[in-house]
Amino acid sequence: MLANLSKNCLRLRHSPVVPVRTFLSENYKLQEAWNTRLASPIMEKINVETFHYELERKFNLQKIASPIDIDIYANKITDDNYFDEVGDLLVKLRKTAEATNILDSTGHAYIRNLIDFDQFESLIQVLDNRMDYGIFFDDFSANLAIDKLLKTGKFKEAARLATIFMLQEDFSNATTRALCLFACYKYLGNPEVFDDLKPPSEPEAEKGAKKKKVTEVKVRVAFLRNPYFDDHFDLKNSQHLVGKTFLLIGKELTKTGDTKLGTNIQLLGLGLYEKYTEAVKFLESTKGAELEKDVIGKINEALAKVGEEEQKNEAFQQFKNAIETIGSTHKVVESNFEEKLNDFCKNVVKENEAKDMEQQKKIYAAWNEIREKRLKEEIERLQRTERLKHIEKLTTEMEAEERKLWFFENEEQLNLDIESKRVFYPKRWFGKKKVPRKVDENYIPPDVDKRRHAE
């Protein structure tokens, strides 16, 4: 028994410790309020398999489907067997005129299902492919996803979701802002390239084989499009994405009154974002402010990874010199900045969690009402369309019956109508007619020598 106990102790001692850090409580999920959508009579009557078949048939025959039908299907899914089907329907809907009428609850339901079943790779793919799916983070779903990733120690995935949320340029929610900030800072502990932004790797067979000489083919084109980089949606560098996330969060923190933390985060963002000219101006405008030593250390780590060609840039040298002499222009504070961010997130969540939950409950209730209202409108529209088709059919049948009953009284008029509908085609011209040759009555044929023919 003692031997087994010692073995278990050794196993526990050498087992990897999974970092567990969460900020949101279990009640934040609002599972009970979220499940109320399934209790409606609409959802209870839906069979997932047959309903999906009907939606596919609509797209195949009519090339369009109703957004309310897609919303009902997305909210009805409660397991991970139909995620691909929902994504496929969303892609098809985006290619129709009804794409602008998609409901907010549709995207939230799809995102929440992916979070519940830990499908974070699919979640990143869907959110980053905005043109095809049209799905965007809301504050509540972003909080659930990032908090769950922080709890399991997946800081790289959490930071990637934070950068995707940054592209929406809305950090007005305090809880979302704090969680994104902490996720990005934890990512700096091991700043790897985001998986979905890695260049495709070459197969092993191609690596060993000799590269063949590439033949250049020149093609004449009408014009060349000037290259354009919007410095936002076109960002594909992991460090730049995290840096811009820090920068926007820092600006928002400064607006809300947290100037000290906002200054550090903005400087860190500018350094990672490689906006050296702006960073030098920012340091000049914040002389005398308190800067964290850990933040300066993260900036120095980023500067050490810059390539040789970029180091020759004058703006880089100015920023590097400013960081090296930062003690003469600013107050450098030595403390555990990660713990400060941890405490900051806890306080923000404690202050805003109840308010976020109450607001989200109202949103869930409003979505249920909107779904029922839109469904009734859709049913009324279909019934109205069916009635119009039925009326048109009856009108056609009545006209045919009337023509039969009053045929002899209207025979003359019917004949005139038939005559008026006749199509007279113009005669085709085959060229000028030849004049027949005239026979000369006074014509005398020549004499024929019978002796020559006799011989």
Side-chain angles (χ1 to χ4, degrees):
M1 183 177 178
L2 292 174
N4 293 333
L5 183 61
S6 61
K7 287 181 181 179
N8 291 333
C9 292
L10 288 172
R11 189 181 296 110
L12 290 173
R13 185 182 301 170
H14 294 290
S15 61
V17 179
V18 178
V20 177
R21 186 190 297 272
T22 182
F23 298 99
L24 303 178
S25 65
E26 192 66 23
N27 295 329
Y28 192 85
K29 295 180 180 179
L30 297 175
Q31 198 65 45
E32 185 177 349
W34 173 239
N35 289 338
T36 55
R37 75 197 191 284
L38 300 174
S40 64
I42 302 170
M43 295 295 183
E44 291 177 351
K45 297 177 182 179
I46 296 297
N47 183 286
V48 176
E49 293 183 358
T50 57
F51 195 54
H52 177 258
Y53 172 77
E54 287 295 325
L55 292 174
E56 285 288 347
R57 191 176 64 85
K58 284 184 178 180
F59 275 116
N60 293 333
L61 297 178
Q62 305 174 10
K63 305 300 181 183
I64 196 170
S66 174
I68 185 63
D69 291 339
I70 307 296
D71 180 73
I72 292 172
Y73 183 73
N75 280 273
K76 181 64 177 179
I77 301 300
T78 55
D79 53 46
D80 58 346
N81 294 325
Y82 299 94
F83 288 161
D84 293 339
E85 286 78 359
V86 177
D88 182 60
L89 291 174
L90 288 171
V91 171
K92 291 179 179 178
L93 182 63
R94 285 284 293 176
K95 297 177 181 178
T96 66
E98 292 291 335
T100 55
N101 297 324
I102 188 171
L103 300 178
D104 294 336
S105 56
T106 306
H108 182 86
Y110 190 39
I111 290 173
R112 179 148 186 167
N113 283 330
L114 291 173
I115 295 171
D116 290 342
F117 291 93
D118 297 331
Q119 301 291 324
F120 290 106
E121 290 184 7
S122 300
L123 178 61
I124 292 171
Q125 179 185 358
V126 168
L127 291 173
D128 198 41
N129 195 350
R130 293 167 288 276
M131 293 296 292
D132 287 341
Y133 292 93
I135 299 299
F136 301 90
F137 255 150
D138 55 62
D139 295 329
F140 193 77
S141 60
N143 295 342
L144 290 176
I146 295 174
D147 183 73
K148 190 171 186 178
L149 288 169
L150 290 175
K151 184 177 181 180
T152 55
K154 297 179 179 179
F155 303 123
K156 182 170 68 173
E157 290 79 1
R160 180 65 179 120
L161 290 180
T163 59
I164 291 175
F165 189 85
M166 174 273 298
L167 298 176
Q168 300 176 201
E169 299 183 90
D170 182 14
F171 281 109
S172 57
N173 184 276
T175 306
T176 311
R177 185 169 61 239
L179 291 175
C180 290
L181 172 60
F182 190 77
C184 289
Y185 192 81
K186 288 293 293 183
Y187 162 78
L188 295 182
N190 186 19
E192 298 178 357
V193 178
F194 294 136
D195 293 337
D196 61 310
L197 299 180
K198 289 180 180 178
S201 58
E202 298 180 3
E204 294 296 331
E206 293 184 6
K207 289 181 180 179
K210 295 182 179 180
K211 294 184 178 179
K212 297 181 180 180
K213 186 177 180 180
V214 179
T215 305
E216 294 184 0
V217 179
K218 297 182 179 180
V219 181
R220 185 182 296 275
V221 295
F223 63 92
L224 291 175
R225 188 179 297 278
N226 293 329
Y228 178 73
F229 181 75
D230 67 353
D231 207 17
H232 191 69
F233 293 106
D234 292 336
L235 287 173
K236 298 301 178 184
N237 186 301
S238 302
Q239 179 178 301
H240 293 175
L241 284 166
V242 173
K244 189 163 188 178
T245 305
F246 277 130
L247 181 60
L248 295 184
I249 292 175
K251 289 180 178 179
E252 194 69 29
L253 288 170
T254 305
K255 288 180 183 178
T256 55
D258 202 337
T259 308
K260 184 185 295 185
L261 182 58
T263 301
N264 282 273
I265 296 304
Q266 283 189 72
L267 180 61
L268 178 59
L270 289 169
L272 295 175
Y273 196 15
E274 297 185 8
K275 298 293 182 181
Y276 302 127
T277 303
E278 296 177 14
V280 172
K281 293 180 180 179
F282 181 77
L283 286 174
E284 292 176 355
S285 64
T286 57
K287 283 184 178 180
E290 291 186 4
L291 296 178
E292 295 286 340
K293 185 178 181 180
D294 289 348
V295 171
I296 298 172
K298 295 293 184 184
I299 295 173
N300 284 324
E301 290 177 7
L303 294 178
K305 297 178 182 178
V306 176
E308 295 181 0
E309 291 296 326
E310 296 178 359
Q311 289 183 10
K312 298 177 182 179
N313 191 351
E314 183 179 353
F316 172 84
Q317 292 297 333
Q318 291 179 355
F319 180 63
K320 186 177 181 181
N321 294 334
I323 292 296
E324 291 174 352
T325 59
I326 197 74
S328 60
T329 56
H330 296 74
K331 298 178 182 178
V332 180
V333 180
E334 187 172 354
S335 63
N336 192 329
F337 189 63
E338 182 179 330
E339 286 300 322
K340 283 187 177 181
L341 290 181
N342 182 30
D343 296 337
F344 170 75
C345 287
K346 287 182 178 178
N347 294 331
V348 169
V349 170
K350 185 177 180 180
E351 293 174 4
N352 296 277
E353 187 175 32
K355 181 177 65 175
D356 290 348
M357 292 169 62
E358 192 63 30
Q359 183 179 1
Q360 192 63 27
K361 284 181 181 178
K362 294 179 181 178
I363 292 174
Y364 283 157
W367 282 348
N368 292 335
E369 293 177 1
I370 291 172
R371 188 179 299 112
E372 293 181 1
K373 181 182 177 182
R374 291 283 295 272
L375 183 61
K376 289 179 181 178
E377 292 175 353
E378 186 69 16
I379 292 172
E380 291 176 359
R381 185 185 67 82
L382 293 174
Q383 290 176 347
R384 187 165 55 252
T385 304
E386 289 297 325
R387 286 197 299 269
L388 289 174
K389 289 181 179 179
H390 184 63
I391 291 171
E392 290 177 359
K393 182 180 178 182
L394 287 178
T395 304
T396 305
E397 291 176 354
M398 289 173 63
E399 289 177 354
E401 190 67 25
E402 184 180 0
R403 283 196 297 270
K404 292 178 182 179
L405 294 173
W406 300 93
F407 174 76
F408 295 103
E409 286 78 358
N410 299 328
E411 184 177 5
E412 185 177 349
Q413 182 62 37
L414 291 172
N415 291 331
L416 291 174
D417 292 342
I418 293 172
E419 187 67 23
S420 64
K421 293 178 181 178
R422 288 181 60 187
V423 180
F424 295 93
Y425 296 99
K427 294 183 179 180
R428 294 179 63 186
W429 185 71
F430 296 97
K432 192 175 181 181
K433 292 184 178 180
K434 294 182 179 181
V435 180
R437 183 181 297 176
K438 294 181 180 180
V439 180
D440 188 4
E441 297 179 355
N442 299 323
Y443 175 73
I444 302 173
D447 295 333
V448 179
D449 193 351
K450 296 182 180 180
R451 289 178 299 180
R452 292 180 62 185
H453 286 280
E455 295 176 356

